[in-house]
Amino acid sequence: MNQKAYIQNRWLYRVLRIVAGVMTSLVGLVIILTAVTALTGDMELLTDMVEIESGEPKLSLVAQIALVVTSSLAVFTFLLLFRSINRFLAHAEKGELFLDSAANALSRMGISMILLYVVFISFDVLLPMLIEPESIIENSIDFFSYLFDLNALGLLIGIVLMALAGALREGRELQEELRQIV
Amino acid sequence: MTIEVTLDVMLAVRKVKSKDLAAHVGITDANLSLLKSGKVKGIRFETLSRICEYLDCSPGELLRYVPDASADEK
């Protein structure tokens, strides 16, 4: 790789890190705002985020707890995803991928992708079921299809990323062993 | 099993300085020092060949097999 290409990639990595930071902040703030407004009685943002048929649903205690748990998990997942992406891109920028830190970042990225699948399923299936229990029978087939929609791709990517993290760890061990051969 | 490196003995016999050998072989002084003390996991054929060439010896004169104590008991 020549020097010019290296510098271009470095800028690309930096731009990606900034974009990831901005997007994580926005998504996190929207989720927190949605949860807080829903808990205080304003359902407008929640009905936009979660597919609910009735315009002004009422949150039961169980639904409120589920909303808080799901929103907290979502914010944690996005923060974990950003942290791992940021760390991995920082290593990629320097070309240091055979490090424990890079493998750990990739592994955490995989975990957060799997958690993201759980979060999306919670928003798409769990919360509508808890907010509108009567919709369970009416939309049971639709809810089931959510398990295998595009979000499942994130689940697969998460598993692949964790496997890649294992490969990186093996590569690092191999590199360490090669260093001890003169 | 243990492979003992007897490079330091051969260097003394041939009266060759480690620095000169390292320069001929193309490895650092630090790596040659690790090799002499046996603190490496392996040696490349290319490195071994260059050492033999410079010291005018065979690999058998640089490496020695020392059986483990547990192997002796068997």
Side-chain angles (χ1 to χ4, degrees):
Chain A
M1 190 189 294
N2 62 41
Q3 189 66 22
K4 194 179 173 187
Y6 173 74
I7 290 168
Q8 279 174 349
N9 283 341
R10 194 172 63 187
W11 280 108
L12 177 68
Y13 291 135
R14 283 185 183 174
V15 169
L16 283 172
R17 287 166 69 187
I18 293 166
V19 170
V22 171
M23 285 178 71
T24 306
S25 306
L26 284 174
V27 170
L29 285 173
V30 167
I31 291 169
I32 291 167
L33 189 67
T34 304
V36 169
T37 53
L39 290 171
T40 53
D42 184 1
M43 297 292 165
E44 195 181 343
L45 286 172
L46 187 67
T47 48
D48 283 344
M49 185 183 281
V50 180
E51 285 189 32
I52 305 167
E53 288 173 3
S54 61
E56 284 295 322
K58 286 194 174 180
L59 291 179
S60 64
L61 183 65
V62 177
Q64 284 180 9
I65 294 168
L67 178 65
V68 171
V69 171
T70 305
S71 301
S72 305
L73 183 67
V75 172
F76 169 77
T77 302
F78 279 107
L79 283 175
L80 184 68
L81 187 62
F82 167 69
R83 188 170 172 262
S84 54
I85 287 174
N86 186 47
R87 180 68 59 86
F88 189 79
L89 287 176
H91 285 302
E93 193 182 306
K94 294 173 191 164
E96 305 169 333
L97 291 179
F98 282 148
L99 289 174
D100 274 343
S101 176
N104 289 342
L106 203 61
S107 183
R108 277 196 290 269
M109 217 188 292
I111 292 167
S112 50
M113 288 301 288
I114 293 167
L115 283 177
L116 207 59
Y117 173 75
V118 175
V119 166
F120 284 140
I121 289 297
S122 296
F123 276 125
D124 291 340
V125 182
L126 182 70
L127 283 179
M129 279 181 173
L130 290 172
I131 295 168
E132 288 182 320
E134 63 275 13
S135 68
I136 297 172
I137 300 167
E138 289 172 17
N139 301 315
S140 58
I141 296 169
D142 291 344
F143 284 143
F144 185 71
S145 68
Y146 272 118
L147 298 173
F148 301 102
D149 68 356
L150 269 178
N151 293 336
L153 197 62
L155 182 71
L156 281 176
I157 291 170
I159 294 166
V160 170
L161 286 176
M162 290 182 78
L164 276 175
L168 268 189
R169 280 197 192 94
E170 281 177 20
R172 189 199 58 75
E173 283 165 12
L174 195 66
Q175 194 186 43
E176 193 60 38
E177 200 169 308
L178 280 174
R179 273 202 197 112
Q180 294 183 37
I181 296 175
V182 292
Chain B
M1 68 168 195
T2 311
I3 299 292
E4 200 175 272
V5 181
T6 54
L7 179 61
D8 48 351
V9 177
M10 189 52 67
L11 282 170
V13 170
R14 296 283 191 264
K15 291 176 183 165
V16 171
K17 287 179 186 171
S18 296
K19 201 176 174 180
D20 296 335
L21 179 65
H24 177 81
V25 175
I27 59 174
T28 61
D29 292 352
N31 273 345
L32 188 68
S33 177
L34 287 172
L35 179 60
K36 278 198 299 180
S37 57
K39 288 176 185 171
V40 291
K41 281 198 174 177
I43 178 168
R44 290 190 181 87
F45 284 144
E46 190 186 348
T47 309
L48 189 61
S49 167
R50 282 175 172 268
I51 292 173
C52 289
E53 179 190 67
Y54 196 73
L55 298 176
D56 190 26
C57 64
S58 64
E61 292 171 274
L62 300 173
L63 305 171
R64 192 161 62 104
Y65 172 65
V66 182
D68 284 343
S70 57
D72 289 342
E73 286 169 13
K74 289 176 188 174

